[in-house]
Every structure is written in C-alpha cells, then in structure tokens.
Amino acid sequence: MGPRTPLLKPGDYFSDREDVHLPSLAVFTLFVVASVVMTVVMVQLLFDQITGVPKGTRWGVLFLAIPGLVVGLVVGWFVVAAIMHFLGGNASNTGTFADALAVAGWAYAPNLLAIPFRVFQFRSKIESKTITATDPEQLEAQLEVMQWGSGRVEVLIYLVVIGWSVYILAHGISKTHNASYGSAISAAVLVGIGSFLLGLL
C-alpha cells in the first residue's frame, strides 16, 4: 500500500493509489477555505488600525475581495494543471487532465503550512502602526511595506513552499502521465517561477 499523502513521496503515492481525485479536491478546497479565512482575518486586522474609515467599509472590501480570490484560485488550479498536463505530461494517453488536476491540487498543500505564518507576520507588522485613510500616499506606502514577501524570512518560506510544490508536481505528473522526469520537472519549475513572480508582485 502506498503512502497516505504525496507530501513526502509523491511518486509512490500517485503510482500506487487509484483514489487520488477526491482527496486532491478536498486538499484544494481546504486551501481555498483557509485562504478566505486568512483574507478575512487580515482585512479585520488592517481596518482595526486604520482611522477615518466609514463603518461598514471593511465588509464592502470583503464582499468584493472574496469572490475574486476564490475565482482566482480556481483558475490558477486549472492553469497549473494545464501546464503540467500539456507540457509536463506531453498530453500522454496514460494521464488525463483530471489526473493533472489531482496532482496540482495536492501541490497546494504546502501553502497551507505557510498560512498561519503569513497571518502572524501580518499581525506583527500592523499592530504597531496607526494608519490614516485621509492620507492616500501614506496609506499606500504602509500597505506596500506590509505585503507578503517584503522580508527575508518570508521570501525564504515562500521559496520552501514553492520548492515543495514543484517536487510534488514533477514526481506526480511523471507517474500519472508516464512521462519522463525531465519534461515533468521542466514544467513544474516553470510553474514555480511563475508562482514566485506573481506572489511577490
């Protein structure tokens, strides 16, 4: 029997298990829910420190941000799966796009480990600040400083998460699609580079 998760041995997991689709969907759904909760917490922390904002504004921000966040994550999941299926798996006959979605879904698992740290870092940055909404330039400058990826430790954690995801993608696709490891790792690295650049914008 293969390992219970592909976090440490993705090659063994995807070659030995047949029930990979539902667990992967569960992992990705958990990641989406955790991301939404993280966003709500961060917006609440942010607005607790901002003066001069009308009541109810924070809920308006959440109402606009959360649907876009969810749609963006789902689109990203499909884009990652498509890159891995068509480039990493060479669109082979042995692997389906559903298999690629399963591998991509599990590749989001390392991000779950970083979410508590992101909230902690954001809280530590913002609790010592008083932000006024009446000065747009000051508001923009302080928000840029508080963005994820602005510190060395954050960049290091982000690189570990991306590297772990690339590891899962490469080994997973090479097994589900019976593809060469070279093509799988090339596509996975492409995904990793894109994730790094987008995450630190």
Side-chain angles (χ1 to χ4, degrees), residues 103-168:
V103 175
W106 270 110
Y108 282 94
N111 289 271
L112 286 167
L113 304 178
I115 285 178
F117 182 81
R118 292 186 66 175
V119 174
F120 174 79
Q121 284 293 96
F122 186 82
R123 182 176 181 178
S124 65
K125 288 179 181 180
I126 201 171
E127 279 187 333
S128 61
K129 298 181 182 297
T130 300
I131 308 170
T132 175
T134 58
D135 187 346
E137 291 184 0
Q138 181 204 34
L139 178 62
E140 182 179 356
Q142 290 185 329
L143 290 179
E144 287 180 358
V145 171
M146 289 181 284
Q147 284 182 351
W148 173 251
S150 59
R152 293 180 180 177
V153 176
E154 295 170 13
V155 172
L156 177 61
I157 291 176
Y158 201 61
L159 286 173
V160 170
V161 167
I162 289 176
W164 197 350
S165 297
V166 166
Y167 171 73
I168 293 171

Side-chain angles (χ1 to χ4, degrees), residues 7-8 27 38 67 72 84 92 137 150 157 177 197:
L7 296 180
L8 298 180
V27 168
M38 178 186 71
M84 296 308 301
S92 69
E137 291 184 0
S150 59
I157 291 176
H177 286 62
L197 294 176

Side-chain angles (χ1 to χ4, degrees), residues 43-44 47 50 52-65 133:
V43 168
Q44 297 287 9
F47 276 90
I50 299 179
V53 178
K55 292 182 178 180
T57 302
R58 69 180 69 191
W59 300 112
V61 170
L62 289 172
F63 181 78
L64 293 174

Side-chain angles (χ1 to χ4, degrees), residues 7 29 40 46 71 73 77 113 128 137 142 171 174 176 178 181-182 185 191 196:
L7 296 180
T29 301
V40 171
L46 175 63
V71 171
L73 292 176
W77 178 35
L113 304 178
S128 61
E137 291 184 0
Q142 290 185 329
H171 284 275
S174 67
T176 59
N178 195 26
Y181 184 73
I185 190 64
V191 170
F196 181 79

